[in-house]
DNA sequence: TCACTGATCGTCT
DNA sequence: GACGATCAGTGAG
């Protein structure tokens, strides 16, 4: 009988206290979600940093009811509705009182792939999770998780990498109209689950 | 492989 | 009342 050890949440003390450092740190880390149907887990392969002085960030104009989680201690979830259609998943990244976060843009499924496919009918392979709206759909992440502590053993949390992380590439962020020139997107080079145009993934 | 477009709605002005 | 950290589908080169 093989015992399967459940992954433990990352300790908050292990997370970098600065947004760009955290965005890099999270590449390769694991997202675990205990769905009612069973557990799903995935490896983060692409992130974007949204800084405190960043006009592209939701926190730029100050704290509101919606973006409050981004002003919390690092390691909390901020989930919001984008274009009225998709939920996007972020991790708060600085000390309490400073509004900043890291957007998770793409993941590589590790466990529970059939459950993910059930949530994205007709999709398979990279198409399952290679975008910020796709991965929340596949993994069942939604508004009910906004504000959740991802360093605590709950239904949704972050865990350490289960495999070595490849070389990290850097590019400009995707889909922005403001501050689009800043090199604040990070990704594992060569990973097939990356989002965005091919040329951005060369860097 | 890239460019373009419609869908859709909570949040803030 | 306008906007947006997206996606899927379509059509051109």
């Amino acid at each position: 009988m093989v015992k399967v050890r459940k992954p433990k949440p990352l300790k908050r003390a292990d997370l970098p206290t600065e947004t760009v450092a955290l965005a890099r740190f999270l590449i390769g880390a694991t997202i675990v979600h205990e769905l009612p149907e069973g557990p799903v887990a995935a490896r983060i392969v692409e992130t974007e940093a949204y800084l405190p002085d960043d006009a592209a960030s939701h926190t730029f104009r100050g704290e509101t009811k919606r973006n409050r989680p981004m002003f919390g201690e690092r390691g909390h979830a901020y989930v919001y509705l984008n274009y009225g259609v998709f939920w996007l998943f972020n991790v708060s990244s600085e000390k309490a009182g400073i509004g900043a976060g890291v957007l998770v843009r793409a993941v590589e499924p590790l466990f529970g792939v059939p459950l993910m496919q059930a949530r994205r009918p007709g999709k398979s392979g990279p198409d399952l999770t290679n975008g910020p709206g796709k991965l929340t759909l596949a993994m069942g992440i939604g508004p009910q998780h906004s504000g959740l502590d991802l360093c605590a053993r709950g239904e949704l949390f972050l865990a350490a990498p289960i495999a070595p992380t490849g070389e990290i590439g850097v590019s400009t962020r995707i889909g922005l109209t403001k501050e689009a020139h800043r090199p604040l997107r990070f990704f594992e080079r060569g990973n097939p689950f990356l989002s965005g145009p091919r040329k951005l993934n060369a860097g």
Side-chain angles (χ1 to χ4, degrees):
Chain A
M1 183 68 176
V2 178
K3 283 190 180 177
V4 177
R5 186 180 302 179
K6 276 200 171 185
K8 284 193 292 192
L10 286 171
K11 296 194 185 87
R12 197 173 332 275
D14 294 338
L15 303 181
T17 321
E18 194 276 325
T19 305
V20 170
L22 183 68
R24 286 178 173 274
F25 175 87
L26 287 178
I27 301 293
T30 310
I31 302 174
V32 181
H33 188 192
E34 304 277 352
L35 289 168
E37 312 92 285
V40 294
R43 196 168 164 270
I44 299 173
V45 300
E46 180 180 335
T47 62
E48 281 180 359
Y50 287 84
L51 309 181
D53 66 340
D54 187 346
S57 172
H58 286 181
T59 61
F60 188 65
R61 288 186 184 79
E63 184 173 332
T64 66
K65 184 180 178 184
R66 176 177 64 152
N67 67 22
R68 183 155 302 147
M70 288 230 276
F71 286 86
E73 196 67 45
R74 67 193 189 282
H76 286 77
Y78 167 51
V79 183
Y80 77 95
L81 185 64
N82 180 253
Y83 290 96
V85 184
F86 297 100
W87 296 98
L88 270 56
F89 174 65
N90 302 252
V91 181
S92 67
S93 57
E94 301 269 348
K95 291 182 285 190
I98 301 179
V102 173
L103 169 70
V104 177
R105 284 196 57 89
V107 302
E108 175 178 355
L110 295 173
F111 194 85
V113 173
L115 296 182
M116 297 191 202
Q117 282 177 328
R119 287 165 180 267
R120 290 198 26 86
K123 305 296 181 182
S124 63
D127 213 21
L128 214 46
T129 55
N130 66 348
K134 299 179 188 179
L135 74 90
T136 54
L137 208 52
M139 296 190 75
I141 296 173
Q144 70 274 26
H145 300 114
S146 200
L148 201 69
D149 183 1
L150 298 170
C151 297
R153 188 182 288 288
E155 78 169 84
L156 179 68
F157 60 89
L158 291 170
I162 62 151
T165 305
E167 200 180 340
I168 292 180
V170 182
S171 81
T172 52
R173 294 175 292 185
I174 294 177
L176 301 186
T177 54
K178 301 168 190 158
E179 303 286 356
H181 62 285
R182 294 208 204 183
L184 293 174
R185 173 174 175 262
F186 304 93
F187 54 92
E188 184 178 54
R189 274 193 196 165
N191 191 289
F193 289 83
L194 297 180
S195 74
R198 182 175 290 255
K199 60 180 177 183
L200 270 190
N201 295 333

